[in-house]
């Protein structure tokens, strides 16, 4: 004998917080397999490339660890993690725990049309207009990568200080932002481990990472250092194709 399921107002449910991404990673990262885990690397390095396109940082260090974790260290401006007066919230929350938040939401279409109408491309310098062109998903990539990680650590080096936050299973586990003096060069360090409870496989092969490093050196003009479980390989910066950073 079949039992009919009650369907009323209380039958509707919504995923909240980290569960929005952890239960449906394919929506934000394209897959719940190793391809989704791999896409977290693409998102983090995409944000680094956006910094490069904006004229900040020409070197990146990518490291693979024995436990399958990945880290990316760039030498851009360092992601702002502190208090955001305009949004009345902490930037570490807005960037890594909130979807559709970030520094890439200016309406650039009107600006581009104006440049085109004035035929002013000869005097246009892309580095004067940060994030006019972006590689990382606007306000999604960083949060999606954090949400789908077993652990996720971000350290930002700015103004002689290191600001840091740690996340586990999609939630920040420190009560407040850690801030301490630092003589590290300006930039951002992120280390994370894709969660095998979210993805059916979290294997990110060294072969794929090497290919990514080569792409970053050729296309984005980075000097890339790849450290594979202690073994270091350097990919010198190559001439950037399509967009010449020499003018930045």
């Amino acid at each position: 004998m079949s039992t009919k399921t009650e369907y009323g107002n209380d039958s509707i449910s919504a995923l909240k917080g980290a569960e929005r991404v952890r239960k449906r990673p394919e929506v934000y990262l394209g897959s719940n397999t190793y391809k989704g885990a791999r896409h977290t690397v693409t998102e983090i390095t995409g944000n680094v490339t956006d910094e490069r396109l904006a004229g900040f940082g020409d070197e990146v260090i990518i490291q693979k660890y024995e436990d399958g974790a990945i880290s990316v260290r760039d030498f851009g401006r360092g992601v702002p993690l502190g208090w955001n007066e305009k949004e009345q919230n902490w930037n570490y929350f807005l960037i890594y725990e909130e979807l559709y938040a970030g520094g890439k939401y200016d309406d650039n279409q009107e600006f581009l049309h104006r440049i085109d109408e004035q035929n002013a491309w000869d005097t246009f310098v892309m580095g004067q207009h940060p994030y006019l062109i972006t590689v990382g998903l606007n306000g999604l990539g960083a949060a999606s990568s954090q949400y789908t990680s077993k652990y996720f650590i971000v350290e930002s080096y700015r103004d002689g200080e290191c600001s840091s936050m740690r996340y586990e299973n999609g939630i920040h586990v420190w009560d407040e932002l850690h801030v301490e003096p630092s003589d590290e060069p300006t930039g951002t360090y992120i280390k994370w481990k894709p969660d095998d409870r979210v993805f059916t496989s979290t294997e990110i092969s060294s072969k794929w990472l090497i290919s990514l490093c080569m792409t970053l050196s050729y296309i984005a003009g980075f000097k890339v250092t790849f450290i594979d479980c202690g073994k270091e390989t350097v990919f010198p910066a190559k001439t950037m194709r399509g967009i010449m950073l020499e003018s930045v």
Side-chain angles (χ1 to χ4, degrees):
M1 181 177 179
S2 62
T3 303
K4 292 184 179 181
T5 302
E6 184 72 22
Y7 183 63
N9 287 326
D10 293 337
S11 301
I12 307 302
S13 59
L15 295 175
K16 301 178 180 67
E19 295 306 302
R20 292 173 293 176
V21 184
R22 290 178 67 82
K23 287 188 178 296
R24 297 290 185 271
E26 59 271 26
V27 174
Y28 301 93
L29 297 169
S31 175
N32 67 344
T33 69
Y34 73 93
K35 292 181 180 179
R38 198 165 64 181
H39 200 72
T40 64
V41 184
T42 304
E43 287 303 328
I44 298 300
T45 56
N47 290 335
V48 174
T49 302
D50 287 339
E51 273 289 275
R52 173 67 166 144
L53 292 175
F56 303 97
D58 58 3
E59 181 179 357
V60 61
I61 301 171
I62 299 174
Q63 187 163 352
K64 179 181 178 181
Y65 299 84
E66 294 284 355
D67 68 349
I70 303 292
S71 70
V72 174
R73 169 67 156 105
D74 72 61
F75 297 87
R77 291 169 291 183
V79 61
L81 297 177
W83 179 253
N84 187 319
E85 189 66 30
K86 181 181 70 173
E87 298 293 337
Q88 289 294 293
N89 209 333
W90 292 92
N91 279 326
Y92 70 77
F93 176 84
L94 294 172
I95 296 170
Y96 297 105
E97 298 181 63
E98 187 64 81
L99 301 177
Y100 300 105
K104 307 174 186 177
Y105 284 107
D106 290 337
D107 184 0
N108 296 318
Q109 292 303 309
E110 183 179 344
F111 173 78
L112 290 171
H113 283 307
R114 189 163 63 249
I115 292 289
D116 198 48
E117 289 171 357
Q118 297 172 358
N119 196 25
W121 292 109
D122 288 344
T123 59
F124 170 72
V125 179
M126 188 183 64
Q128 296 176 358
H129 307 279
Y131 302 140
L132 184 64
I133 300 171
T134 64
V135 176
L137 286 175
N138 287 350
L140 284 173
S144 297
S145 300
Q146 186 281 115
Y147 274 143
T148 56
S149 296
K150 186 172 183 179
Y151 64 83
F152 184 102
I153 303 163
V154 55
E155 298 178 355
S156 177
Y157 306 100
R158 295 166 58 97
D159 305 319
E161 293 182 335
C162 173
S163 301
S164 58
M165 179 52 69
R166 180 182 176 93
Y167 302 84
E168 293 178 7
N169 307 316
I171 302 170
H172 66 264
V173 295
W174 292 343
D175 291 335
E176 59 185 26
L177 190 68
H178 288 197
V179 181
E180 56 187 18
S182 174
D183 57 4
E184 278 280 327
T186 301
T188 304
Y189 170 85
I190 297 174
K191 181 180 180 180
W192 74 103
K193 178 176 170 53
D195 197 334
D196 56 13
R197 293 169 297 178
V198 174
F199 303 106
T200 58
S201 172
T202 57
E203 174 59 28
I204 300 173
S205 70
S206 297
K207 181 178 179 180
W208 182 84
L209 287 168
I210 289 171
S211 177
L212 174 67
C213 291
M214 293 176 65
T215 299
L216 290 171
S217 69
Y218 274 94
I219 305 302
F222 282 113
K223 172 190 174 184
V224 185
T225 300
F226 176 49
I227 305 173
D228 185 2
C229 300
K231 181 181 178 181
E232 183 175 304
T233 305
V234 177
F235 300 86
K238 304 295 183 181
T239 301
M240 188 171 182
R241 299 171 183 176
I243 302 171
M244 299 303 293
L245 289 180
E246 286 80 356
S247 63
V248 173

